[in-house]
Each structure stands twice: as structure tokens, then as C-alpha cells.
Short mmCIF file of all heavy atoms in Angstrom, two decimals:
data_model
loop_
_atom_site.label_atom_id
_atom_site.label_comp_id
_atom_site.label_asym_id
_atom_site.label_seq_id
_atom_site.Cartn_x
_atom_site.Cartn_y
_atom_site.Cartn_z
N MET A 1 10.62 -59.45 19.13
CA MET A 1 11.18 -59.34 20.48
C MET A 1 12.40 -58.44 20.48
O MET A 1 13.24 -58.52 19.59
CB MET A 1 11.56 -60.73 21.00
CG MET A 1 11.86 -60.72 22.47
SD MET A 1 12.09 -62.39 23.14
CE MET A 1 13.82 -62.64 22.86
N LEU A 2 12.46 -57.62 21.50
CA LEU A 2 13.56 -56.67 21.64
C LEU A 2 14.62 -57.26 22.58
O LEU A 2 14.30 -57.66 23.70
CB LEU A 2 13.00 -55.37 22.21
CG LEU A 2 13.72 -54.08 21.86
CD1 LEU A 2 13.72 -53.84 20.37
CD2 LEU A 2 13.02 -52.93 22.57
N ILE A 3 15.83 -57.38 22.12
CA ILE A 3 16.90 -57.90 22.97
C ILE A 3 17.83 -56.76 23.30
O ILE A 3 18.42 -56.14 22.42
CB ILE A 3 17.69 -59.04 22.28
CG1 ILE A 3 16.73 -60.19 21.90
CG2 ILE A 3 18.79 -59.56 23.21
CD1 ILE A 3 17.34 -61.23 21.00
N PHE A 4 17.92 -56.46 24.60
CA PHE A 4 18.84 -55.39 25.00
C PHE A 4 19.57 -55.74 26.28
O PHE A 4 19.21 -56.67 26.97
CB PHE A 4 18.08 -54.06 25.14
CG PHE A 4 16.99 -54.09 26.16
CD1 PHE A 4 17.25 -53.74 27.48
CD2 PHE A 4 15.71 -54.47 25.80
CE1 PHE A 4 16.24 -53.77 28.42
CE2 PHE A 4 14.68 -54.50 26.74
CZ PHE A 4 14.96 -54.15 28.05
N GLY A 5 20.61 -55.02 26.54
CA GLY A 5 21.42 -55.24 27.74
C GLY A 5 22.54 -54.24 27.81
O GLY A 5 22.44 -53.18 27.19
N THR A 6 23.56 -54.57 28.54
CA THR A 6 24.72 -53.68 28.64
C THR A 6 25.99 -54.48 28.42
O THR A 6 26.02 -55.69 28.62
CB THR A 6 24.81 -52.98 30.02
OG1 THR A 6 24.82 -53.97 31.04
CG2 THR A 6 23.67 -52.02 30.25
N ARG A 7 26.99 -53.79 27.98
CA ARG A 7 28.30 -54.41 27.79
C ARG A 7 29.34 -53.48 28.36
O ARG A 7 29.27 -52.26 28.15
CB ARG A 7 28.57 -54.64 26.30
CG ARG A 7 29.90 -55.35 26.08
CD ARG A 7 30.25 -55.42 24.63
NE ARG A 7 29.33 -56.27 23.89
CZ ARG A 7 29.39 -56.43 22.57
NH1 ARG A 7 30.28 -55.79 21.87
NH2 ARG A 7 28.55 -57.22 21.95
N ARG A 8 30.29 -54.06 29.09
CA ARG A 8 31.32 -53.25 29.71
C ARG A 8 32.68 -53.53 29.08
O ARG A 8 33.04 -54.68 28.92
CB ARG A 8 31.36 -53.50 31.21
CG ARG A 8 32.10 -52.41 31.95
CD ARG A 8 31.70 -52.39 33.37
NE ARG A 8 32.45 -53.43 34.10
CZ ARG A 8 32.54 -53.47 35.41
NH1 ARG A 8 31.90 -52.59 36.14
NH2 ARG A 8 33.22 -54.39 36.01
N THR A 9 33.37 -52.49 28.74
CA THR A 9 34.71 -52.65 28.20
C THR A 9 35.70 -51.93 29.10
O THR A 9 35.39 -50.88 29.67
CB THR A 9 34.83 -52.09 26.77
OG1 THR A 9 34.34 -50.76 26.76
CG2 THR A 9 34.04 -52.93 25.77
N ALA A 10 36.86 -52.53 29.25
CA ALA A 10 37.92 -51.96 30.08
C ALA A 10 39.09 -51.56 29.21
O ALA A 10 39.45 -52.28 28.28
CB ALA A 10 38.35 -52.96 31.13
N ARG A 11 39.63 -50.41 29.51
CA ARG A 11 40.79 -49.94 28.76
C ARG A 11 41.84 -49.42 29.74
O ARG A 11 41.53 -48.54 30.57
CB ARG A 11 40.37 -48.81 27.81
CG ARG A 11 41.42 -48.47 26.77
CD ARG A 11 40.80 -47.72 25.61
NE ARG A 11 40.34 -46.40 26.02
CZ ARG A 11 41.06 -45.29 25.87
NH1 ARG A 11 42.24 -45.33 25.31
NH2 ARG A 11 40.59 -44.12 26.25
N GLN A 12 43.01 -50.00 29.67
CA GLN A 12 44.08 -49.54 30.56
C GLN A 12 44.63 -48.23 30.05
O GLN A 12 45.07 -48.15 28.91
CB GLN A 12 45.17 -50.60 30.66
CG GLN A 12 46.18 -50.29 31.76
CD GLN A 12 47.14 -51.42 32.00
OE1 GLN A 12 46.75 -52.51 32.37
NE2 GLN A 12 48.40 -51.19 31.73
N LEU A 13 44.60 -47.21 30.89
CA LEU A 13 45.01 -45.88 30.47
C LEU A 13 46.46 -45.56 30.83
O LEU A 13 47.14 -44.87 30.09
CB LEU A 13 44.09 -44.82 31.10
CG LEU A 13 42.59 -44.99 30.86
CD1 LEU A 13 41.81 -43.99 31.68
CD2 LEU A 13 42.25 -44.84 29.39
N ALA A 14 46.89 -46.07 31.99
CA ALA A 14 48.26 -45.78 32.43
C ALA A 14 48.70 -46.74 33.52
O ALA A 14 47.88 -47.39 34.17
CB ALA A 14 48.34 -44.34 32.95
N VAL A 15 50.01 -46.81 33.69
CA VAL A 15 50.60 -47.57 34.80
C VAL A 15 51.61 -46.62 35.43
O VAL A 15 52.43 -46.04 34.73
CB VAL A 15 51.33 -48.85 34.31
CG1 VAL A 15 51.96 -49.59 35.49
CG2 VAL A 15 50.37 -49.77 33.58
N LEU A 16 51.51 -46.43 36.73
CA LEU A 16 52.46 -45.54 37.39
C LEU A 16 52.69 -45.93 38.84
O LEU A 16 51.89 -46.68 39.42
CB LEU A 16 52.04 -44.07 37.27
CG LEU A 16 50.90 -43.54 38.12
CD1 LEU A 16 50.86 -42.03 38.07
CD2 LEU A 16 49.57 -44.09 37.66
N MET A 17 53.77 -45.43 39.42
CA MET A 17 54.11 -45.73 40.80
C MET A 17 53.32 -44.82 41.72
O MET A 17 53.34 -43.60 41.59
CB MET A 17 55.62 -45.50 41.03
CG MET A 17 56.51 -46.45 40.26
SD MET A 17 56.31 -48.18 40.72
CE MET A 17 57.12 -48.19 42.33
N LEU A 18 52.60 -45.44 42.66
CA LEU A 18 51.84 -44.70 43.65
C LEU A 18 51.92 -45.45 44.98
O LEU A 18 52.35 -46.60 45.01
CB LEU A 18 50.36 -44.62 43.24
CG LEU A 18 49.95 -43.75 42.06
CD1 LEU A 18 48.48 -43.99 41.75
CD2 LEU A 18 50.19 -42.28 42.36
N THR A 19 51.46 -44.81 46.03
CA THR A 19 51.40 -45.49 47.31
C THR A 19 49.93 -45.81 47.57
O THR A 19 49.08 -44.92 47.57
CB THR A 19 51.98 -44.61 48.45
OG1 THR A 19 53.31 -44.25 48.07
CG2 THR A 19 52.01 -45.36 49.76
N CYS A 20 49.62 -47.07 47.73
CA CYS A 20 48.23 -47.47 47.93
C CYS A 20 47.81 -47.30 49.38
O CYS A 20 48.66 -47.12 50.25
CB CYS A 20 48.02 -48.90 47.42
SG CYS A 20 48.23 -50.18 48.66
N PRO A 21 46.51 -47.36 49.68
CA PRO A 21 46.04 -47.17 51.07
C PRO A 21 46.63 -48.18 52.06
O PRO A 21 46.62 -47.96 53.25
CB PRO A 21 44.53 -47.33 50.95
CG PRO A 21 44.22 -46.99 49.54
CD PRO A 21 45.40 -47.50 48.75
N GLN A 22 47.15 -49.30 51.54
CA GLN A 22 47.76 -50.31 52.41
C GLN A 22 49.24 -50.04 52.63
O GLN A 22 49.93 -50.82 53.27
CB GLN A 22 47.61 -51.70 51.77
CG GLN A 22 46.18 -52.07 51.48
CD GLN A 22 45.71 -53.26 52.29
OE1 GLN A 22 45.87 -53.28 53.51
NE2 GLN A 22 45.15 -54.24 51.63
N GLY A 23 49.73 -48.94 52.04
CA GLY A 23 51.11 -48.55 52.24
C GLY A 23 52.12 -49.11 51.26
O GLY A 23 53.32 -48.96 51.47
N HIS A 24 51.67 -49.74 50.21
CA HIS A 24 52.60 -50.26 49.21
C HIS A 24 53.00 -49.16 48.23
O HIS A 24 52.13 -48.54 47.65
CB HIS A 24 51.96 -51.39 48.38
CG HIS A 24 51.41 -52.51 49.20
ND1 HIS A 24 50.10 -52.89 49.14
CD2 HIS A 24 52.02 -53.31 50.10
CE1 HIS A 24 49.92 -53.90 49.98
NE2 HIS A 24 51.06 -54.17 50.57
N ALA A 25 54.31 -49.00 48.05
CA ALA A 25 54.78 -48.11 46.99
C ALA A 25 54.98 -49.03 45.80
O ALA A 25 56.00 -49.69 45.68
CB ALA A 25 56.07 -47.44 47.39
N ALA A 26 53.97 -49.15 44.99
CA ALA A 26 54.00 -50.11 43.88
C ALA A 26 53.36 -49.54 42.64
O ALA A 26 52.77 -48.46 42.66
CB ALA A 26 53.27 -51.38 44.31
N ALA A 27 53.47 -50.30 41.56
CA ALA A 27 52.85 -49.90 40.31
C ALA A 27 51.33 -49.99 40.46
O ALA A 27 50.80 -50.93 41.05
CB ALA A 27 53.32 -50.80 39.18
N HIS A 28 50.65 -49.00 39.95
CA HIS A 28 49.19 -48.97 39.96
C HIS A 28 48.70 -48.82 38.52
O HIS A 28 49.32 -48.11 37.74
CB HIS A 28 48.68 -47.77 40.78
CG HIS A 28 48.75 -47.98 42.25
ND1 HIS A 28 49.94 -48.13 42.92
CD2 HIS A 28 47.77 -48.06 43.19
CE1 HIS A 28 49.69 -48.30 44.21
NE2 HIS A 28 48.38 -48.26 44.40
N THR A 29 47.62 -49.46 38.22
CA THR A 29 47.05 -49.31 36.89
C THR A 29 45.85 -48.38 36.96
O THR A 29 45.11 -48.39 37.94
CB THR A 29 46.58 -50.66 36.30
OG1 THR A 29 45.66 -51.27 37.21
CG2 THR A 29 47.74 -51.62 36.05
N VAL A 30 45.70 -47.56 35.95
CA VAL A 30 44.55 -46.67 35.84
C VAL A 30 43.72 -47.23 34.69
O VAL A 30 44.21 -47.34 33.57
CB VAL A 30 44.95 -45.21 35.55
CG1 VAL A 30 43.73 -44.31 35.48
CG2 VAL A 30 45.94 -44.70 36.59
N THR A 31 42.50 -47.65 34.99
CA THR A 31 41.65 -48.26 33.99
C THR A 31 40.35 -47.50 33.81
O THR A 31 39.74 -47.06 34.78
CB THR A 31 41.33 -49.74 34.40
OG1 THR A 31 42.55 -50.40 34.70
CG2 THR A 31 40.62 -50.50 33.29
N GLY A 32 39.96 -47.35 32.57
CA GLY A 32 38.68 -46.72 32.27
C GLY A 32 37.67 -47.81 31.94
O GLY A 32 37.92 -48.66 31.08
N LEU A 33 36.57 -47.84 32.65
CA LEU A 33 35.52 -48.84 32.42
C LEU A 33 34.32 -48.15 31.80
O LEU A 33 33.73 -47.25 32.40
CB LEU A 33 35.11 -49.51 33.73
CG LEU A 33 36.18 -50.27 34.51
CD1 LEU A 33 35.65 -50.67 35.88
CD2 LEU A 33 36.61 -51.50 33.74
N VAL A 34 33.97 -48.57 30.61
CA VAL A 34 32.85 -47.94 29.91
C VAL A 34 31.71 -48.94 29.80
O VAL A 34 31.88 -50.06 29.31
CB VAL A 34 33.27 -47.45 28.51
CG1 VAL A 34 32.08 -46.86 27.77
CG2 VAL A 34 34.40 -46.44 28.61
N THR A 35 30.55 -48.55 30.27
CA THR A 35 29.36 -49.39 30.14
C THR A 35 28.49 -48.83 29.03
O THR A 35 28.15 -47.65 29.03
CB THR A 35 28.55 -49.43 31.47
OG1 THR A 35 29.43 -49.83 32.51
CG2 THR A 35 27.39 -50.42 31.39
N ARG A 36 28.19 -49.67 28.06
CA ARG A 36 27.37 -49.25 26.93
C ARG A 36 26.06 -50.04 26.89
O ARG A 36 26.03 -51.21 27.23
CB ARG A 36 28.11 -49.49 25.60
CG ARG A 36 29.10 -48.44 25.28
CD ARG A 36 29.83 -48.82 24.01
NE ARG A 36 31.16 -48.23 23.98
CZ ARG A 36 31.41 -47.00 23.60
NH1 ARG A 36 30.44 -46.23 23.18
NH2 ARG A 36 32.63 -46.53 23.61
N PHE A 37 25.03 -49.37 26.46
CA PHE A 37 23.74 -50.00 26.27
C PHE A 37 23.78 -50.74 24.94
O PHE A 37 24.28 -50.21 23.95
CB PHE A 37 22.65 -48.92 26.25
CG PHE A 37 21.26 -49.46 26.14
CD1 PHE A 37 20.60 -49.95 27.26
CD2 PHE A 37 20.61 -49.49 24.91
CE1 PHE A 37 19.32 -50.45 27.15
CE2 PHE A 37 19.32 -49.98 24.80
CZ PHE A 37 18.68 -50.47 25.93
N THR A 38 23.35 -51.99 24.95
CA THR A 38 23.37 -52.75 23.69
C THR A 38 21.94 -53.08 23.25
O THR A 38 21.06 -53.35 24.07
CB THR A 38 24.16 -54.07 23.82
OG1 THR A 38 23.56 -54.88 24.82
CG2 THR A 38 25.62 -53.83 24.15
N LEU A 39 21.75 -53.06 21.96
CA LEU A 39 20.46 -53.40 21.36
C LEU A 39 20.74 -54.47 20.31
O LEU A 39 21.53 -54.24 19.39
CB LEU A 39 19.86 -52.14 20.74
CG LEU A 39 18.37 -52.20 20.38
CD1 LEU A 39 17.52 -52.44 21.63
CD2 LEU A 39 17.95 -50.91 19.71
N PHE A 40 20.16 -55.61 20.50
CA PHE A 40 20.46 -56.79 19.66
C PHE A 40 21.97 -57.03 19.61
O PHE A 40 22.54 -57.26 18.55
CB PHE A 40 19.88 -56.62 18.24
CG PHE A 40 18.39 -56.54 18.22
CD1 PHE A 40 17.75 -55.33 18.04
CD2 PHE A 40 17.61 -57.68 18.43
CE1 PHE A 40 16.37 -55.24 18.05
CE2 PHE A 40 16.23 -57.60 18.44
CZ PHE A 40 15.60 -56.38 18.25
N PHE A 41 22.58 -56.94 20.79
CA PHE A 41 24.02 -57.18 20.99
C PHE A 41 24.94 -56.15 20.33
O PHE A 41 26.14 -56.31 20.29
CB PHE A 41 24.40 -58.61 20.54
CG PHE A 41 23.52 -59.67 21.14
CD1 PHE A 41 22.59 -60.32 20.36
CD2 PHE A 41 23.60 -59.96 22.50
CE1 PHE A 41 21.74 -61.27 20.92
CE2 PHE A 41 22.76 -60.91 23.06
CZ PHE A 41 21.83 -61.57 22.28
N VAL A 42 24.36 -55.10 19.79
CA VAL A 42 25.19 -54.05 19.19
C VAL A 42 25.30 -52.89 20.18
O VAL A 42 24.28 -52.33 20.59
CB VAL A 42 24.57 -53.53 17.86
CG1 VAL A 42 25.42 -52.41 17.27
CG2 VAL A 42 24.41 -54.68 16.86
N PRO A 43 26.54 -52.55 20.56
CA PRO A 43 26.70 -51.44 21.51
C PRO A 43 26.17 -50.14 20.90
O PRO A 43 26.47 -49.82 19.75
CB PRO A 43 28.21 -51.37 21.72
CG PRO A 43 28.75 -52.67 21.27
CD PRO A 43 27.83 -53.14 20.17
N THR A 44 25.39 -49.43 21.65
CA THR A 44 24.86 -48.15 21.16
C THR A 44 25.48 -47.00 21.96
O THR A 44 26.63 -46.68 21.76
CB THR A 44 23.33 -48.12 21.23
OG1 THR A 44 22.92 -48.40 22.56
CG2 THR A 44 22.71 -49.14 20.28
N PHE A 45 24.75 -46.44 22.90
CA PHE A 45 25.30 -45.29 23.62
C PHE A 45 25.94 -45.68 24.94
O PHE A 45 25.68 -46.72 25.50
CB PHE A 45 24.22 -44.22 23.83
CG PHE A 45 23.01 -44.73 24.56
CD1 PHE A 45 22.97 -44.71 25.94
CD2 PHE A 45 21.92 -45.23 23.86
CE1 PHE A 45 21.85 -45.17 26.63
CE2 PHE A 45 20.80 -45.70 24.53
CZ PHE A 45 20.77 -45.68 25.92
N ARG A 46 26.78 -44.78 25.41
CA ARG A 46 27.52 -44.92 26.65
C ARG A 46 26.59 -44.68 27.83
O ARG A 46 25.92 -43.64 27.88
CB ARG A 46 28.61 -43.87 26.63
CG ARG A 46 29.80 -44.14 27.48
CD ARG A 46 30.79 -43.03 27.28
NE ARG A 46 31.68 -43.35 26.17
CZ ARG A 46 32.99 -43.04 26.17
NH1 ARG A 46 33.50 -42.38 27.17
NH2 ARG A 46 33.74 -43.37 25.15
N VAL A 47 26.49 -45.62 28.73
CA VAL A 47 25.64 -45.45 29.91
C VAL A 47 26.41 -44.75 31.02
O VAL A 47 25.96 -43.77 31.59
CB VAL A 47 25.09 -46.80 30.42
CG1 VAL A 47 24.19 -46.60 31.63
CG2 VAL A 47 24.36 -47.55 29.33
N ARG A 48 27.59 -45.27 31.30
CA ARG A 48 28.42 -44.61 32.30
C ARG A 48 29.88 -45.00 32.15
O ARG A 48 30.20 -46.04 31.58
CB ARG A 48 27.91 -44.85 33.71
CG ARG A 48 28.30 -46.15 34.35
CD ARG A 48 27.55 -46.30 35.65
NE ARG A 48 28.14 -47.33 36.48
CZ ARG A 48 28.64 -47.12 37.68
NH1 ARG A 48 28.60 -45.93 38.21
NH2 ARG A 48 29.17 -48.10 38.37
N THR A 49 30.74 -44.13 32.64
CA THR A 49 32.17 -44.36 32.59
C THR A 49 32.72 -44.28 34.00
O THR A 49 32.37 -43.38 34.75
CB THR A 49 32.87 -43.29 31.71
OG1 THR A 49 32.22 -43.26 30.45
CG2 THR A 49 34.34 -43.61 31.51
N ARG A 50 33.51 -45.26 34.36
CA ARG A 50 34.15 -45.26 35.68
C ARG A 50 35.65 -45.31 35.48
O ARG A 50 36.13 -45.84 34.48
CB ARG A 50 33.76 -46.53 36.46
CG ARG A 50 32.42 -46.49 37.11
CD ARG A 50 32.12 -47.84 37.72
NE ARG A 50 33.09 -48.20 38.75
CZ ARG A 50 33.36 -49.46 39.12
NH1 ARG A 50 32.76 -50.45 38.55
NH2 ARG A 50 34.23 -49.71 40.07
N HIS A 51 36.37 -44.75 36.42
CA HIS A 51 37.82 -44.81 36.38
C HIS A 51 38.28 -45.47 37.67
O HIS A 51 37.85 -45.07 38.75
CB HIS A 51 38.42 -43.41 36.23
CG HIS A 51 38.11 -42.80 34.90
ND1 HIS A 51 36.95 -42.12 34.67
CD2 HIS A 51 38.78 -42.83 33.73
CE1 HIS A 51 36.93 -41.74 33.40
NE2 HIS A 51 38.02 -42.17 32.81
N VAL A 52 39.09 -46.50 37.51
CA VAL A 52 39.53 -47.28 38.66
C VAL A 52 41.05 -47.31 38.73
O VAL A 52 41.72 -47.50 37.71
CB VAL A 52 38.96 -48.72 38.57
CG1 VAL A 52 39.49 -49.59 39.70
CG2 VAL A 52 37.45 -48.70 38.58
N VAL A 53 41.59 -47.12 39.93
CA VAL A 53 43.02 -47.24 40.16
C VAL A 53 43.23 -48.49 40.99
O VAL A 53 42.56 -48.69 42.01
CB VAL A 53 43.59 -45.99 40.89
CG1 VAL A 53 45.05 -46.20 41.24
CG2 VAL A 53 43.44 -44.76 40.01
N GLN A 54 44.12 -49.37 40.54
CA GLN A 54 44.36 -50.62 41.25
C GLN A 54 45.83 -50.82 41.54
O GLN A 54 46.69 -50.65 40.67
CB GLN A 54 43.81 -51.79 40.43
CG GLN A 54 43.94 -53.12 41.18
CD GLN A 54 43.27 -54.27 40.46
OE1 GLN A 54 43.26 -54.31 39.23
NE2 GLN A 54 42.72 -55.19 41.21
N CYS A 55 46.12 -51.25 42.76
CA CYS A 55 47.47 -51.58 43.19
C CYS A 55 47.80 -52.96 42.64
O CYS A 55 47.04 -53.90 42.83
CB CYS A 55 47.54 -51.58 44.72
SG CYS A 55 49.11 -52.17 45.38
N THR A 56 48.95 -53.07 41.94
CA THR A 56 49.30 -54.37 41.34
C THR A 56 49.86 -55.34 42.38
O THR A 56 49.98 -56.52 42.13
CB THR A 56 50.33 -54.20 40.20
OG1 THR A 56 51.47 -53.53 40.71
CG2 THR A 56 49.74 -53.44 39.03
N LEU A 57 50.21 -54.81 43.54
CA LEU A 57 50.79 -55.65 44.58
C LEU A 57 49.71 -56.38 45.39
O LEU A 57 49.76 -57.59 45.56
CB LEU A 57 51.68 -54.80 45.49
CG LEU A 57 52.75 -55.55 46.25
CD1 LEU A 57 53.78 -56.14 45.30
CD2 LEU A 57 53.45 -54.62 47.22
N CYS A 58 48.72 -55.63 45.87
CA CYS A 58 47.69 -56.26 46.71
C CYS A 58 46.34 -56.36 46.00
O CYS A 58 45.42 -57.01 46.49
CB CYS A 58 47.55 -55.52 48.04
SG CYS A 58 46.93 -53.84 47.88
N GLY A 59 46.21 -55.71 44.86
CA GLY A 59 44.96 -55.80 44.12
C GLY A 59 43.87 -54.86 44.61
O GLY A 59 42.76 -54.86 44.08
N LEU A 60 44.19 -54.06 45.62
CA LEU A 60 43.21 -53.11 46.15
C LEU A 60 42.89 -52.07 45.08
O LEU A 60 43.79 -51.51 44.47
CB LEU A 60 43.78 -52.42 47.40
CG LEU A 60 42.79 -51.62 48.24
CD1 LEU A 60 41.92 -52.57 49.07
CD2 LEU A 60 43.51 -50.68 49.16
N SER A 61 41.61 -51.85 44.84
CA SER A 61 41.24 -50.87 43.83
C SER A 61 40.20 -49.91 44.36
O SER A 61 39.47 -50.20 45.30
CB SER A 61 40.73 -51.58 42.59
OG SER A 61 39.54 -52.27 42.87
N GLY A 62 40.17 -48.75 43.75
CA GLY A 62 39.20 -47.75 44.16
C GLY A 62 38.82 -46.86 43.00
O GLY A 62 39.61 -46.69 42.06
N ASP A 63 37.63 -46.34 43.04
CA ASP A 63 37.16 -45.43 42.01
C ASP A 63 37.80 -44.06 42.19
O ASP A 63 37.96 -43.60 43.31
CB ASP A 63 35.64 -45.27 42.10
CG ASP A 63 34.92 -46.45 41.48
OD1 ASP A 63 35.36 -47.59 41.70
OD2 ASP A 63 33.91 -46.23 40.79
N VAL A 64 38.12 -43.44 41.09
CA VAL A 64 38.60 -42.07 41.12
C VAL A 64 37.77 -41.26 40.13
O VAL A 64 37.13 -41.83 39.24
CB VAL A 64 40.11 -41.94 40.77
CG1 VAL A 64 40.99 -42.52 41.85
CG2 VAL A 64 40.43 -42.57 39.43
N SER A 65 37.80 -39.95 40.28
CA SER A 65 37.04 -39.09 39.36
C SER A 65 37.74 -39.08 38.01
O SER A 65 38.92 -39.43 37.90
CB SER A 65 36.95 -37.68 39.93
OG SER A 65 38.24 -37.10 39.96
N LYS A 66 37.03 -38.66 37.00
CA LYS A 66 37.57 -38.55 35.65
C LYS A 66 38.77 -37.60 35.65
O LYS A 66 39.79 -37.85 35.00
CB LYS A 66 36.47 -38.01 34.73
CG LYS A 66 36.85 -37.96 33.27
CD LYS A 66 35.76 -37.27 32.48
CE LYS A 66 36.22 -36.99 31.06
NZ LYS A 66 35.27 -36.14 30.35
N GLU A 67 38.64 -36.50 36.42
CA GLU A 67 39.70 -35.49 36.49
C GLU A 67 40.96 -36.08 37.11
O GLU A 67 42.07 -35.84 36.65
CB GLU A 67 39.23 -34.28 37.30
CG GLU A 67 38.15 -33.44 36.64
CD GLU A 67 36.76 -34.12 36.62
OE1 GLU A 67 36.50 -34.96 37.51
OE2 GLU A 67 35.98 -33.82 35.71
N ARG A 68 40.77 -36.85 38.18
CA ARG A 68 41.90 -37.47 38.89
C ARG A 68 42.58 -38.50 37.96
O ARG A 68 43.81 -38.57 37.91
CB ARG A 68 41.39 -38.13 40.18
CG ARG A 68 42.45 -38.88 40.98
CD ARG A 68 43.49 -37.94 41.60
NE ARG A 68 44.50 -38.70 42.32
CZ ARG A 68 45.80 -38.43 42.30
NH1 ARG A 68 46.24 -37.42 41.60
NH2 ARG A 68 46.66 -39.15 42.99
N ALA A 69 41.79 -39.27 37.23
CA ALA A 69 42.32 -40.26 36.31
C ALA A 69 43.16 -39.58 35.23
O ALA A 69 44.25 -40.03 34.89
CB ALA A 69 41.19 -41.06 35.67
N GLN A 70 42.66 -38.44 34.75
CA GLN A 70 43.36 -37.67 33.72
C GLN A 70 44.69 -37.16 34.25
O GLN A 70 45.70 -37.20 33.55
CB GLN A 70 42.46 -36.52 33.25
CG GLN A 70 42.89 -35.93 31.92
CD GLN A 70 43.05 -36.98 30.83
OE1 GLN A 70 42.14 -37.73 30.54
NE2 GLN A 70 44.24 -37.06 30.26
N GLU A 71 44.66 -36.71 35.51
CA GLU A 71 45.86 -36.22 36.19
C GLU A 71 46.92 -37.32 36.25
O GLU A 71 48.09 -37.10 35.98
CB GLU A 71 45.48 -35.87 37.63
CG GLU A 71 45.61 -34.41 38.01
CD GLU A 71 45.07 -34.22 39.42
OE1 GLU A 71 45.61 -34.82 40.37
OE2 GLU A 71 44.07 -33.49 39.54
N LEU A 72 46.48 -38.53 36.63
CA LEU A 72 47.38 -39.67 36.76
C LEU A 72 47.96 -40.08 35.41
O LEU A 72 49.13 -40.44 35.33
CB LEU A 72 46.65 -40.86 37.41
CG LEU A 72 46.25 -40.67 38.87
CD1 LEU A 72 45.34 -41.79 39.32
CD2 LEU A 72 47.47 -40.57 39.76
N VAL A 73 47.15 -40.00 34.37
CA VAL A 73 47.61 -40.34 33.02
C VAL A 73 48.69 -39.34 32.58
O VAL A 73 49.73 -39.74 32.05
CB VAL A 73 46.43 -40.35 32.01
CG1 VAL A 73 46.93 -40.45 30.58
CG2 VAL A 73 45.49 -41.51 32.32
N THR A 74 48.46 -38.07 32.88
CA THR A 74 49.43 -37.02 32.56
C THR A 74 50.73 -37.24 33.33
O THR A 74 51.82 -37.13 32.79
CB THR A 74 48.84 -35.62 32.91
OG1 THR A 74 47.56 -35.53 32.30
CG2 THR A 74 49.72 -34.50 32.41
N GLN A 75 50.57 -37.59 34.61
CA GLN A 75 51.70 -37.86 35.49
C GLN A 75 52.52 -39.05 34.98
O GLN A 75 53.74 -39.01 34.96
CB GLN A 75 51.16 -38.16 36.89
CG GLN A 75 52.17 -38.04 38.01
CD GLN A 75 51.53 -38.36 39.35
OE1 GLN A 75 50.40 -37.94 39.62
NE2 GLN A 75 52.20 -39.12 40.18
N ALA A 76 51.82 -40.09 34.53
CA ALA A 76 52.49 -41.30 34.03
C ALA A 76 53.25 -41.00 32.75
O ALA A 76 54.33 -41.53 32.52
CB ALA A 76 51.47 -42.40 33.79
N ALA A 77 52.71 -40.11 31.94
CA ALA A 77 53.32 -39.77 30.66
C ALA A 77 54.57 -38.91 30.84
O ALA A 77 55.45 -38.92 29.99
CB ALA A 77 52.31 -39.04 29.79
N SER A 78 54.64 -38.19 31.96
CA SER A 78 55.76 -37.28 32.17
C SER A 78 56.91 -37.90 32.95
O SER A 78 57.90 -37.24 33.20
CB SER A 78 55.27 -36.00 32.85
OG SER A 78 54.80 -36.30 34.15
N THR A 79 56.77 -39.16 33.38
CA THR A 79 57.86 -39.78 34.15
C THR A 79 58.66 -40.75 33.28
O THR A 79 58.19 -41.22 32.28
CB THR A 79 57.32 -40.54 35.40
OG1 THR A 79 56.25 -41.38 34.99
CG2 THR A 79 56.90 -39.61 36.48
ZN1 LIG B 1 48.74 -52.29 47.75
#
């Protein structure tokens, strides 16, 4: 029998001050979510990668492009 599925791992890439769509000027986290295909519970290849920005004040989160996430990481590193 073949046992397969997916496993998702989250990695926090940066924390920086941004203004969220609700108008909060608060710390936001930039997280990379990687979904991997698993075979017999062993992660194999990457299925998809998402980048999410979340407001730490209200918890509102939204997907951003890889390029935008990279921009935010660079911005966080330079402040
Ligand atoms: Zn907010």
C-alpha cells in the first residue's frame, strides 16, 4: 500500500511595521508557507509556496507574491 499526502511548514521570514487594510500601523509578520508532497510520511518535493503577511494587531492576513515578500524582507532588514 502506498501512503502519501502533503505536509505544510511555516517559516517566519520577517517582522516589520506596516499599515494593514484595517488602518492599523502595527507590526506585521511575513511568513513563507511551503507545502510538500509526502510519501510514507517523508517529505519529497515542494508542491507550492505561499507568502502571507499578517497584522499582529487584528490578525488580518493576506497572500502576497514571492517578489513582494522578498521586498518586505529586504525592507525589514534595512530598518
Ligand atoms: Zn490590523
